[in-house]
Amino acid sequence: LKGIYRIARSESTNCPRVRLIGSGSILREALRAKTILEEKYQVAAEVFSATSYLQLRRDALSVERHNRLHPEDVPQQAYISSVFDESDAPVIASSDYVKAVPDQIARWVKAPYVTLGTDGFGMSDTREVLRRHFEIDAEFIVVTALHELAKLGTLPLSVVSSAISTLGIDPEKWDATIL
């Protein structure tokens, strides 16, 4: 009812950690990415289902307004901030909408936050091909998560390079976001 909820926790401990957000049909890709991250890369992954980015944004804006108009009260916290408040583990939000949809909540997530979406020109094909084209399938979610961990110094960049190759990603593929 609040716009997001956790659907899968990780049993892994003492290893790098990421949080994955999926919405709509891409939620299955986030769940598949969780499996790949844990089995192939020993990265713990939690998965969240975003049911309404707009509702999360409205709540956060309302909290900001309340805090601004009640400066001497104990500040309230936006729901999205409370969901991702406990650590700096990267958050990867994947959507079959344009990146602007999950970007609506970015400023209230304190951890590194990356969105994957369907920006750019499309094509007609199977869902699998379209997800690869727009770089929102499980393999791209995995590479994005590994890259964010490498940027934090948690993993070596060579792990990201290896994953790109192992997961069959062509780094020289045409960028769908470029006109």
Side-chain angles (χ1 to χ4, degrees):
L1 294 175
K2 293 191 173 197
I4 194 168
Y5 63 98
R6 182 183 0 241
I7 64 166
R9 292 183 186 267
S10 179
E11 300 300 321
S12 303
T13 57
N14 299 325
C15 57
R17 187 170 153 249
V18 297
R19 280 105 31 113
L20 309 176
I21 302 175
S23 56
S25 62
I26 298 304
L27 182 57
R28 289 185 178 155
E29 294 298 310
L31 288 166
R32 197 162 66 83
K34 174 190 186 320
T35 301
I36 295 168
L37 283 164
E38 291 180 347
E39 291 178 1
K40 290 188 176 187
Y41 300 99
Q42 292 71 52
V43 171
E46 294 178 285
V47 179
F48 295 79
S49 174
T51 56
S52 177
Y53 285 107
L54 181 58
Q55 186 171 349
L56 291 165
R57 179 177 175 77
R58 285 179 177 158
D59 168 72
L61 290 170
S62 178
V63 167
E64 279 186 352
R65 178 185 180 277
H66 177 273
N67 291 342
R68 182 171 52 251
L69 297 176
H70 300 86
E72 295 185 41
D73 290 359
V74 174
Q76 294 180 355
Q77 184 178 36
Y79 180 68
I80 190 62
S81 297
S82 69
V83 170
F84 295 116
D85 191 36
E86 78 255 10
S87 86
D88 62 348
V91 178
I92 313 303
S94 52
S95 172
D96 54 0
Y97 292 110
V98 295
K99 293 175 186 176
V101 174
D103 275 348
Q104 292 179 76
I105 63 168
R107 78 184 209 210
W108 297 284
V109 177
K110 302 298 183 229
Y113 184 82
V114 178
T115 59
L116 302 176
T118 57
D119 298 67
F121 286 105
M123 53 194 232
S124 295
D125 213 318
T126 65
R127 287 183 182 214
E128 293 76 22
V129 171
L130 289 171
R131 288 176 181 147
R132 178 53 60 107
H133 172 75
F134 285 114
E135 303 176 358
I136 58 172
D137 62 4
E139 290 77 11
F140 272 96
I141 295 170
V142 167
V143 167
T144 303
L146 295 174
H147 186 252
E148 287 303 303
L149 289 169
K151 284 171 41 181
L152 292 172
T154 308
L155 294 174
L157 287 169
S158 60
V159 171
V160 182
S161 296
S162 175
I164 289 169
S165 176
T166 303
L167 297 173
I169 292 175
D170 177 6
E172 304 308 319
K173 166 185 116 30
W174 176 70
D175 183 351
T177 63
I178 297 175
L179 301 178

